[in-house]
Amino acid sequence: MALDIAITGAGIISALGLGLEKTRQNLLAGNCAINSPKHLETAHSDLPCGEVDLSDVQLYEMCGKDSSLPLSRSSLLGILAARQAEEDAALEKGTRVALISGTTVGGMDITERHFLDYFKGNEFDSLIPLHLDGSATDPIADSLKSNVVFTDVISTACSAAANAIAFGAELLLEGKFDVVIAGGTECLTRYHLNGFNSLMILDNEPCRPFDASRKGLNLGEGAGFIVLERKSHALGRRARVRAWLSGWGNSCDAFHQTASSPDGEGAYLAMSKALRMASLRPEDIDYVNAHGTGTQNNDLSEGVALTRIFGKKMPYVSSTKSFTGHATSAAAALEAVISLICIENSFVPANLRFMEKDPGLDFCPVASNIENVKLNHVLSNSFGFGGNDSSLIFSSPEL
């Protein structure tokens, strides 16, 4: 197993709160953060979401930004998480870094607030560029103390942040950079919520992934970033290594625009590639942080793929979307940071509200927290629309 990519910093903001410690506390306490939307202006108050309980005004203040500047909520959430990661890694001011972010919503919230201005004949042209995904990433880069010399945006729906992390690792392996800050950010918007509602895959109660009675997902929002370094660079500056990124894999089975394949082929290929890169056997995986959205289609497809990989030797499995909701493009970033928290604190978080085994699945997820368990390798799955499926493997720093 080649442990060439060190993870030396992490930052997170989600419905569970701001920062690693708050997230750890709420996971261990089993505190679900899925509630009726409070800050999103929507007619669908009956659709619970994993919303960050901070207004845009509060986010501007926390970021130290002038509220007269048109910044998307995605940017504001991303700034907070990326700054945490940078500080957690103890990067010196001016450190040369690349920033890779996954997002799909981008600046949609700004578009929603101002698109009627176009029909009223008011100034709108200057706001059009803020709709683009790249516009949500540039303010994050500009808000860091590091010298961000390269940025890129990955927009592959629910696998976006996982692909951003994998791309960042590839940049390190190719010797392009010594340090990469990678992850993703996504905010809730009416377009976002209405679009998923039109697909009829939202649950009007807090979701229950893998449960036989599951009815759909809950959308969420947030941002997560991790600092990736070449091993030689991290050790050279005597950085604390939180974990190793030991493997990653991506596939695209293109089975359907939104649905996962019945045989889980894309998920199977992504997990297989990640295991092969890490030179690990399936039985080496201690915990799977599943994509586990709570929809009939995803959970059955992912479950079939997990059985194809692990057979009857299934590791612990849970979906932390039961805590945070599904933050779409940022989901993999939140779950990457959560995986690091689990490795460091030796626990497996519950798959909340799991009550009844699905007869179509060969396993049951973890129904309650499992503590004091050694996690050497955690597999984190993130599967996107169009069958763009990605898996990441995080390994203990003690290895």
Side-chain angles (χ1 to χ4, degrees):
M1 178 175 57
L3 300 175
D4 295 322
I5 306 298
I7 301 172
T8 58
I12 187 171
I13 181 170
S14 74
L16 287 175
L18 173 64
L20 302 178
E21 180 57 20
K22 191 69 173 178
T23 303
R24 182 193 69 84
Q25 291 174 1
N26 280 318
L27 287 170
L28 284 171
N31 292 333
C32 173
I34 298 171
N35 295 290
S36 296
K38 175 180 175 182
H39 303 287
L40 176 67
E41 296 180 2
T42 175
H44 295 296
S45 58
D46 59 319
L47 295 175
C49 299
E51 187 179 43
V52 174
D53 191 13
L54 293 166
S55 68
D56 287 358
V57 171
Q58 290 173 303
L59 290 173
Y60 267 100
E61 291 176 351
M62 294 171 70
C63 291
K65 299 294 184 180
D66 183 345
S67 60
S68 65
L69 296 173
L71 293 175
S72 72
R73 187 173 173 90
S74 296
S75 294
L76 296 169
L77 294 171
I79 289 169
L80 291 176
R83 281 178 175 171
Q84 286 177 54
E86 183 182 55
E87 181 178 353
D88 188 50
L91 295 180
E92 294 184 359
K93 184 176 181 179
T95 299
R96 182 177 179 271
V97 305
L99 174 67
I100 315 296
S101 181
T103 188
T104 302
V105 168
M108 176 63 71
D109 57 324
I110 295 177
T111 303
E112 288 181 347
R113 286 199 298 271
H114 297 286
F115 82 98
L116 289 178
D117 289 341
Y118 174 82
F119 299 100
K120 296 175 182 177
N122 297 332
E123 170 60 30
F124 184 71
D125 290 351
S126 63
L127 296 173
I128 291 176
L130 300 178
H131 177 86
L132 304 176
D133 290 341
S135 72
T137 302
D138 291 340
I140 302 173
D142 294 339
S143 299
L144 298 177
K145 66 180 183 180
S146 299
N147 179 21
V148 181
V149 297
F150 177 81
T151 63
D152 202 359
V153 180
I154 306 292
S155 186
T156 55
C158 307
S159 60
N163 290 332
I165 291 169
F167 178 49
E170 294 282 358
L171 290 175
L172 294 176
L173 292 180
E174 292 174 4
K176 304 291 186 183
F177 298 93
D178 293 321
V179 183
V180 174
I181 300 174
T185 183
E186 197 96 298
C187 72
L188 287 165
T189 68
R190 282 171 286 175
Y191 184 88
H192 198 196
L193 186 64
N194 295 349
F196 273 81
N197 194 35
S198 71
L199 294 174
M200 296 183 290
I201 56 173
L202 295 181
D203 195 341
N204 58 7
E205 298 176 349
C207 65
R208 43 199 180 279
F210 298 110
D211 191 87
S213 67
R214 65 188 183 277
K215 294 195 301 182
L217 61 86
N218 310 126
L219 283 179
E221 66 177 354
F225 285 93
I226 58 178
V227 177
L228 306 173
E229 297 189 47
R230 290 165 58 194
K231 179 179 181 180
S232 58
H233 186 271
L235 297 182
R237 71 180 188 92
R238 297 182 179 179
R240 174 203 53 200
V241 176
R242 281 197 173 275
W244 304 101
L245 177 61
S246 54
W248 54 91
N250 171 262
S251 69
C252 191
D253 65 11
F255 171 76
H256 185 268
Q257 293 96 323
T258 58
S260 301
S261 58
D263 61 359
E265 181 67 10
Y268 171 81
L269 290 173
M271 290 187 281
S272 297
K273 290 179 180 179
L275 286 166
R276 188 162 55 249
M277 170 175 274
S279 298
L280 294 174
R281 300 165 300 174
E283 53 264 38
D284 293 323
I285 299 298
D286 301 300
Y287 166 50
V288 177
N289 187 309
H291 186 55
T293 61
T295 66
Q296 286 290 332
N297 172 252
N298 173 86
D299 293 5
L300 187 58
S301 177
E302 184 175 9
V304 169
L306 287 169
T307 297
R308 289 177 65 184
I309 292 287
F310 297 104
K312 295 188 180 299
K313 297 181 180 180
M314 191 69 64
Y316 297 123
V317 177
S318 72
S319 170
T320 50
K321 290 181 178 69
S322 60
F323 286 87
T324 65
H326 187 2
T328 52
S329 292
L334 301 186
E335 290 153 23
V337 177
I338 287 172
S339 296
L340 303 184
I341 292 171
C342 293
I343 289 172
E344 183 171 330
N345 294 278
S346 304
F347 76 99
V348 173
N351 192 104
L352 297 179
R353 294 172 294 282
F354 177 79
M355 297 292 290
E356 182 182 356
K357 182 181 181 297
D358 186 328
L361 297 176
D362 294 332
F363 66 93
C364 292
V366 173
S368 57
N369 287 345
I370 297 177
E371 299 184 34
N372 301 312
V373 57
K374 176 65 175 173
L375 300 178
N376 286 320
H377 305 287
V378 172
L379 174 68
S380 184
N381 286 335
S382 301
F383 306 145
F385 283 167
N388 193 296
D389 299 338
S390 296
S391 298
L392 304 172
I393 297 177
F394 302 99
S395 299
S396 168
E398 297 175 6
L399 299 175

